[in-house]
Amino acid sequence: MKNSKLIFALSFLFILSFSGIQAQSKSKLTEEQKEAVLTQLKADKERLALTAEQEAPFMGITKKYTTMLKELKESEDDRMGKFQKLKEIQSKKNEEMKALLTESQYATYLEIQKERRSKIKKLRNQ
């Protein structure tokens, strides 16, 4: 049970950290948080070496799933239901990213996810 809570928290925080939620949402992020998300998103785009043709679809996918995550966060579902939906959302997003990105870019995308999970896990253990 403790592991499932940790996995849920890590997964949820990862997806929120990877997406540009401040751009399309009315969330209550501070200016500092908004700037951090924008900086992170810019770094991700650079690290993935997106082409001009990939940037707009990448941002579209990111915004689409950010909206879905925000709705999930605000839903009345129980924790297990939210966790299951979170996994579905992650899976669908990854499928779309895999179709958009080259094999090398997708490997980098997965590495970014892994690094974020590790970072969040370290923060939770402090």
Side-chain angles (χ1 to χ4, degrees):
M1 183 70 175
K2 186 175 181 181
N3 279 342
S4 66
K5 288 180 182 178
L6 180 61
I7 290 169
F8 175 76
L10 291 173
S11 299
F12 194 74
L13 289 173
F14 163 74
I15 290 178
L16 288 178
S17 72
F18 191 70
S19 59
I21 62 172
Q22 81 297 340
Q24 291 292 316
S25 114
K26 296 177 183 171
S27 64
K28 295 178 176 91
L29 294 177
T30 66
E31 287 302 315
E32 185 176 299
Q33 290 170 324
K34 289 178 184 179
E35 187 63 35
V37 171
L38 285 174
T39 300
Q40 187 174 47
L41 189 56
K42 182 180 177 184
D44 292 343
K45 289 190 317 186
E46 290 174 4
R47 188 165 167 194
L48 291 169
L50 297 176
T51 65
E53 295 81 23
Q54 290 174 315
E55 283 193 37
F58 178 83
M59 292 304 295
I61 292 168
T62 300
K63 289 176 184 178
K64 173 179 148 182
Y65 287 97
T66 298
T67 301
M68 292 171 78
L69 289 172
K70 185 176 186 229
E71 290 169 1
L72 176 62
K73 182 180 178 185
E74 295 170 355
S75 77
E76 298 293 323
D77 293 349
D78 64 3
R79 285 187 139 172
M80 187 54 77
K82 284 184 178 183
F83 180 73
Q84 289 171 344
K85 288 180 183 175
L86 173 68
K87 294 311 246 178
E88 290 173 22
I89 291 169
Q90 285 177 322
S91 177
K92 289 177 183 176
K93 182 180 180 186
N94 285 346
E95 286 176 25
E96 287 191 41
M97 287 297 188
K98 189 172 186 174
L100 173 67
L101 303 172
T102 66
E103 192 174 318
S104 174
Q105 288 172 320
Y106 187 68
T108 302
Y109 169 78
L110 294 176
E111 184 63 30
I112 291 169
Q113 285 184 335
K114 183 178 177 183
E115 289 169 5
R116 295 236 168 86
R117 284 186 194 113
S118 176
K119 183 177 178 181
I120 290 168
K121 190 173 183 179
K122 285 179 185 176
L123 289 173
R124 287 191 53 89
N125 289 333
Q126 289 183 353

